Amino acid sequence: MNDKRYLIPLEIANATVEVGYAKANKSSLSLLLLGILAGAFIAFGAVGATTMAALVGDKGLAKLIGAALFPIGLMLVIMAGAELFTGNNLMTLGVMTGRYSIKDMLRNWIIVYIGNFIGSIAIAILVAKTGLYLGAVGETAIAIATKKVTIVTNLGLGAIVSRAILCNIIVVLAVWLATGAKDITGKIFACWFPIMLFVLSGYEHSIANMFYIYVGKYMGAEIIESQIWLNNIIPVTIGNLIGGAVIIPISYYLIFFKKKKGKLAIESSK
């Protein structure tokens, strides 16, 4: 019996559609400001992860601790309130059910993506000016940025797109679980473990990479704009879309929604 401390999967599907409807109807200014906040929040998590990667001697332990800190970004997005492009990829579910239009969804995605970029870059600039990234932390930031823009060169386009697909499958599932959690503790755990998993696994997240690559560039990484966008952010964004806007929403659409007498009807949970 559901004690309403959490939603069952069918209820999460319905709630996700309604959350998407609310997102589709927010004003452009609200979306931009909330997008900026989300970019900043994800960057905060990335700062913690980078710092631990530099300061903990054991590489495995450093990666584990960094992965445990990074999810703070999504926790802030979910619980403080912000708009994250990769999480909003779930909005395709509402489009498929007819709750809102593809035009409304694309408006959300474009504005939020721009906002996420602004927030990420703002934190990258501020962090670079703090002096806290000097020494080992700065060297680690440079190494991370350089590695991210050379994945395509070293392993090919398929490698980075695949990593991005896998990343956003996990990210939108974290958002899915957080939607189903009815209290703050449940939402924390819903964000924490899936996001920790994607960081440990080495997957690629477009919004996080905006911070990681640009802060590395500001600290001295020898990379240029074309490398940043063509070698990483654009292919990663495409992969994130495939994972988060195609694979998961279509799967749940086929599971929980069906056409009946020309109309979309929600299947009974019984």
Side-chain angles (χ1 to χ4, degrees), residues 79-138:
M79 287 169 274
E83 294 281 331
L84 181 63
F85 168 76
T86 48
N88 287 8
N89 287 173
L90 278 173
M91 289 177 69
T92 51
L93 184 61
V95 171
M96 288 186 285
T97 64
R99 189 70 174 97
Y100 43 87
S101 70
I102 190 169
K103 180 181 177 181
D104 292 331
M105 178 187 72
L106 292 176
R107 180 183 73 91
N108 177 285
W109 284 0
I110 291 168
I111 296 172
V112 168
Y113 192 86
I114 293 170
N116 290 170
F117 177 72
I118 294 170
S120 299
I121 298 306
I123 299 302
I125 292 170
L126 290 172
V127 166
K129 290 182 176 296
T130 62
L132 297 173
Y133 261 41
L134 298 177
V137 182

Side-chain angles (χ1 to χ4, degrees), residues 17 63 90 94 96 227:
V17 171
K63 190 170 185 179
L90 278 173
M96 288 186 285
Q227 288 178 303

Side-chain angles (χ1 to χ4, degrees), residues 36-54:
I36 292 171
L37 288 176
F41 294 164
I42 296 300
F44 288 145
V47 170
T50 302
T51 301
M52 294 312 299

Side-chain angles (χ1 to χ4, degrees), residues 41 73-82 174-175 178-179 187 191:
F41 294 164
L74 186 62
M75 293 177 198
L76 289 170
V77 170
I78 296 294
M79 287 169 274
V175 174
T179 300
K187 291 183 183 295
C191 295

